[in-house]
């Protein structure tokens, strides 16, 4: 077994059944079936949740301040409270409540992100237990797992696990856990389905995902109304990420206080970053892979002590902290803390998926920007003009700069185009354009010298008339 780094904390919950460095050899990984999952404490959290009232489960999740692990970092329990309120006397009556859904985001199409895949590959019951807990807490009777089309093998593993869950009556018409009487005084039944996507990046956006689930083109919707009010098939819907749901069994089993012992407080007066996080590291490191770390770990520590350092002993140049849409950490930001404060503190869009792509000293950052612009141009759904046209213009400009055919004014033009597109400037429906512009702007601003070295100087003649010929 590999030796433990000096800073290593107690083994994380998400990978307790998945051999992962530094506690075990990844070569020993295997798919955890139902029997092994139960023997190692599986579905205990669900049993404890079912013994409580749904509102009490939601309160415990809110107390833990577990934040969404899909990219946005919004508190999970707070999101659940956006569903229409249910009268206490009707909380066990599906007809009185009306149909509700949960759509599990297993699309994971953000470049550089592969942390959910680890759970889907080897411990799918952990997510299924989280789904069941969420469904009970939110009085949801139908769950859909939207998994990306390229995850063919992962889909087979998940479907096999779901079949086991049905065989052991975790799901089904009798009620969760074979009709276990709940804190409401009666069982709560949930049906769960797997739906494969068709491979579009935009379906990672929650309303684009819902459109695809309905069999339509994956175009994001105008909000409001938000999914919690009018979501899948026009009914109240919760959209949660795979990793977010995988934290719920631990929270229900050990309690919110235990969850809050991991991670870190905010250093800028914002919401805390509690819990552990799966971090998929790729790029120029000696040992790429997925590691479970406490939120707040410095990027340098993750690279040097988990990943074995920079590949070939080269120097660090930069890193995309959480998927390409979050922007880049510059050469002087190697010690950036990987928590939800990272956006404000280091001028990036946010933590995102916390899956760093690391670049060494030989990386051409102009080529990186061009490749990112190419991706977003290809994946824009085309619904919003600023995104459709702006992504194309940015890609053309990046190609021109890379080829040495651009002028210095093109640098300003690229930044102007990027700044004017996105949901935050209020010009697009969804955040794809924000990801595009943050990626391009942060790379251009933090590696300005590389871009200036690739363009031709341009001069703008200014005619000035003075004296008697001047006009007031």
């Amino acid at each position: 077994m590999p030796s433990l780094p000096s800073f290593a904390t107690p083994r994380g919950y998400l990978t307790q059944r998945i051999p992962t460095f530094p506690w075990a050899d990844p070569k020993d990984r295997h798919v955890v079936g139902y029997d092994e999952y139960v023997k190692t404490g599986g579905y205990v959290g669900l049993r404890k949740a079912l013994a409580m009232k749904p509102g009490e489960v939601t309160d415990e999740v809110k107390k833990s301040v577990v934040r969404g692990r899909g990219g946005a970092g919004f508190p999970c329990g707070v999101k659940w409270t956006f569903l229409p309120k249910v009268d206490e006397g009707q909380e066990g009556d599906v007809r009185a409540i009306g149909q509700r859904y949960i759509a599990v985001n297993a699309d994971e199409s953000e470049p550089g992100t592969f942390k959910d895949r680890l759970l889907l590959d080897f411990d799918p019951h952990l997510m299924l237990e989280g789904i069941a807990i969420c469904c009970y807490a939110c009085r949801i009777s139908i769950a859909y797992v939207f998994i990306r089309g390229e995850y063919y093998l992962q889909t087979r593993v998940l479907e096999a696990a779901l079949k086991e869950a049905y065989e052991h009556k975790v799901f089904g018409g009798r009620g969760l856990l074979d009709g276990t009487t709940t804190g409401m005084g009666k069982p709560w039944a949930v049906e769960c389905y797997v739906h494969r996507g068709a491979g579009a990046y935009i379906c990672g956006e929650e309303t684009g995902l819902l459109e695809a689930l309905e069999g339509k083109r994956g175009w994001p919707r105008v909000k409001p109304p938000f999914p919690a009010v009018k979501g899948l098939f026009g009914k109240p819907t919760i959209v949660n990420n795979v990793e977010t749901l995988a934290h719920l069994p631990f929270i229900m089993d050990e309690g919110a206080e235990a969850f809050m012992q991991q991670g870190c407080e905010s250093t800028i007066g914002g919401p805390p970053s509690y819990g552990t996080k799966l971090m998929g590291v790729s790029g120029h490191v000696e040992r790429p892979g997925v590691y479970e770390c406490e939120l707040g770990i410095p990027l340098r520590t993750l690279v040097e002590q988990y990943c074995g350092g920079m590949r070939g002993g080269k120097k660090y140049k930069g890193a995309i902290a959480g998927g390409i849409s979050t922007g880049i950490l510059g050469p002087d930001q190697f010690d950036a803390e990987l928590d939800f404060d990272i956006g404000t503190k280091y001028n990036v869009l946010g933590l995102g998926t916390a899956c760093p792509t690391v670049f060494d000293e030989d990386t051409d950052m102009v080529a990186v920007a061009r490749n990112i612009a190419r991706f977003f141009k290809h994946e824009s759904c085309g619904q919003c003009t600023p995104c459709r046209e702006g992504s194309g213009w940015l890609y053309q400009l990046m190609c021109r700069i890379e080829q040495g055919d651009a002028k210095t004014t093109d640098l300003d033009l690229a930044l102007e185009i990027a700044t004017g597109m996105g949901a935050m400037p209020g010009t697009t429906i969804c955040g794809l354009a924000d990801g595009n512009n943050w990626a391009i702007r942060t790379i251009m601003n933090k590696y300005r010298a590389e871009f200036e070295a690739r363009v031709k100087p341009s001069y703008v003649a200014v005619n000035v008339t003075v004296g008697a010929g001047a006009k007031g």
Side-chain angles (χ1 to χ4, degrees), residues 343-376:
T344 302
K345 293 169 65 175
Y346 297 100
N347 192 29
V348 291
L349 185 56
L351 181 64
T353 57
C355 290
T357 302
V358 184
F359 304 114
D360 66 23
E361 57 189 315
D362 295 332
T363 305
D364 182 349
M365 300 312 297
V366 178
V368 171
R370 184 262 307 152
N371 196 34
I372 291 175
R374 177 205 59 80
F375 172 80
F376 281 113

Side-chain angles (χ1 to χ4, degrees), residues 38-362:
V38 172
K39 288 179 181 178
T40 53
Y43 292 111
V44 172
L46 175 58
R47 292 188 183 279
K48 291 185 177 181
L50 294 181
M52 303 163 64
K53 289 185 176 294
E56 295 172 343
V57 177
T58 299
D59 289 341
E60 192 71 13
V61 175
K62 285 177 62 180
K63 181 181 176 182
S64 73
V65 202
V66 56
R67 297 174 66 172
R69 269 41 175 178
F74 193 82
C76 175
V78 175
K79 177 184 279 192
W80 291 0
T81 64
F82 294 160
L83 289 168
K85 304 298 181 185
V86 176
D87 293 336
E88 186 172 341
Q90 297 179 332
E91 60 184 5
D93 188 345
V94 177
R95 292 184 178 180
I97 297 171
Q99 189 60 262
R100 297 179 173 202
Y101 299 96
I102 177 174
V104 182
N105 191 341
D107 192 59
E108 196 163 51
S109 52
E110 181 74 22
T113 300
F114 47 95
K115 47 94 178 175
D116 290 342
R117 176 176 174 174
L118 183 75
L119 299 176
L120 295 170
D121 270 329
F122 302 111
D123 199 5
H125 281 282
L126 184 61
M127 179 194 69
L128 294 178
E129 183 177 2
I131 291 173
I133 292 170
C134 175
C135 287
Y136 174 65
C138 299
R139 278 78 93 202
I140 292 170
S141 57
I142 297 180
Y144 288 99
V145 181
F146 186 94
I147 188 169
R148 67 177 302 184
E150 293 88 344
Y151 278 5
Y152 174 72
L153 295 178
Q154 290 71 29
T155 302
R156 294 182 63 181
V157 171
L158 177 58
E159 288 178 335
L162 186 58
K163 182 179 179 182
E164 285 185 319
Y166 267 96
E167 288 173 349
H168 290 85
K169 298 181 176 58
V170 175
F171 298 104
R174 285 177 54 85
L176 292 170
L177 294 179
D178 197 18
T180 297
T181 300
T182 70
M184 300 181 296
K186 60 178 67 175
W188 183 260
V190 176
E191 302 291 347
C192 186
Y193 306 94
V194 177
H195 180 100
R196 288 183 68 197
Y201 171 80
I202 196 61
C203 288
E205 195 276 337
E206 61 179 9
T207 58
L209 183 152
L210 298 179
E211 288 286 294
L213 266 177
E214 293 179 0
K216 305 172 186 174
R217 180 182 296 176
W219 274 13
R221 301 172 181 174
V222 176
K223 295 177 285 188
F226 293 93
V229 177
K230 186 178 180 182
L232 187 62
F233 306 119
K235 302 297 183 180
T237 305
I238 290 295
V239 182
N240 278 149
N241 173 258
V242 170
E243 186 187 351
T244 308
L245 293 167
H247 280 288
L248 301 183
F250 176 81
I251 294 171
M252 299 314 304
D253 185 15
E254 300 291 337
E257 294 289 347
F259 181 81
M260 296 163 66
Q261 295 303 310
Q262 301 170 312
C264 62
E265 299 285 347
S266 172
T267 57
I268 59 174
S273 299
Y274 292 142
T276 61
K277 181 78 181 66
L278 293 178
M279 299 183 180
V281 187
S282 59
H284 303 146
V285 296
E286 290 287 359
R287 186 169 48 240
V290 180
Y291 305 93
E292 185 175 3
C293 311
E294 289 194 45
L295 283 166
I297 183 174
L299 176 60
R300 183 190 297 272
T301 302
L302 178 62
V303 170
E304 293 182 350
Q305 299 197 40
Y306 272 94
C307 302
M310 297 296 296
R311 191 173 65 190
K314 295 184 178 180
K315 294 181 180 179
Y316 162 87
K317 186 174 185 177
I320 296 172
I324 62 172
S325 63
T326 59
I328 196 164
L329 295 170
D332 60 341
Q333 297 175 332
F334 197 19
D335 292 304
E337 303 88 356
L338 299 177
D339 59 28
F340 290 106
D341 290 344
I342 194 172
T344 302
K345 293 169 65 175
Y346 297 100
N347 192 29
V348 291
L349 185 56
L351 181 64
T353 57
C355 290
T357 302
V358 184
F359 304 114
D360 66 23
E361 57 189 315
D362 295 332

